[in-house]
Amino acid sequence: MTSKIIIENLKIYAYHGVLAEETLIGTYYLLNVEVQADLWKAVGTDDLNDTINYAAINDIIHQEMKIPSNLMEHVAGRILKNVKLAFPQISFIKIKITKTNPPMTGEMHGVSVEIENQF
C-alpha cells in the first residue's frame, strides 16, 4: 500500500535568486511537498513512529530555505535529499517551490520549479 503526505502552500520568506536585489530584499515562497510511503502500519497502531513525521519535514524545509541559493532547483534538491535521508522508507518525493514575486515584467502569481524522484 502506498500513502501520501502532502504539505500544501507552506509560505516562507527567503532570499534566493541570481540578482543582488533578490538576496537583499527577499520575497515569499510557497512550497508544496508530497511524499509517498507505506503508512499502513500507522493506520492500525496510531503511533507516530509508524508514519512520516510531517512536522520534521516542515523543519527540514525551513532549515533549507534559510540558506540563500541562486536557484530554486538547488533549494528543492537539498530539501529532497534531506527529507529522504531523514525518512528512508519514502518511495517518492515531489517538491514544488514558487517564487511569489519574481523580478520580471508582467503580472503573475509566481514562477515555480518542481522536481520529483522515485526511489
Side-chain angles (χ1 to χ4, degrees):
M1 168 186 243
T2 299
S3 305
K4 297 179 182 181
I5 293 176
I6 303 169
I7 297 174
E8 298 181 86
N9 294 322
L10 174 60
K11 190 175 184 180
I12 299 175
Y13 202 88
Y15 301 86
H16 307 299
V18 176
L19 301 177
E21 65 194 64
E22 294 177 287
T23 58
L24 185 63
I25 299 168
T27 193
Y28 281 104
Y29 292 80
L30 296 176
L31 289 96
N32 289 273
V33 177
E34 174 185 322
V35 298
Q36 295 180 13
D38 183 351
L39 305 177
W40 187 246
K41 186 174 180 183
V43 171
T45 64
D46 196 29
D47 187 337
L48 182 59
N49 294 312
D50 294 330
T51 190
I52 306 294
N53 183 340
Y54 53 79
I57 293 175
N58 183 57
D59 290 343
I60 292 168
I61 294 167
H62 276 85
Q63 289 169 10
E64 294 304 324
M65 288 296 289
K66 287 179 184 176
I67 303 168
S69 296
N70 289 330
L71 303 177
M72 291 187 293
E73 295 88 338
H74 186 69
V75 180
R78 289 196 322 262
I79 293 168
L80 189 148
K81 180 186 82 172
N82 286 306
V83 168
K84 178 61 177 169
L85 283 172
F87 300 100
Q89 69 270 41
I90 289 175
S91 60
F92 174 84
I93 303 174
K94 178 167 56 174
I95 299 170
K96 178 180 174 185
I97 301 177
T98 302
K99 184 182 288 191
T100 62
N101 191 21
M104 299 184 334
T105 304
E107 189 174 324
M108 65 186 81
H109 291 276
V111 173
S112 301
V113 168
E114 184 174 274
I115 64 167
E116 57 185 63
N117 200 346
Q118 189 162 350
F119 305 97

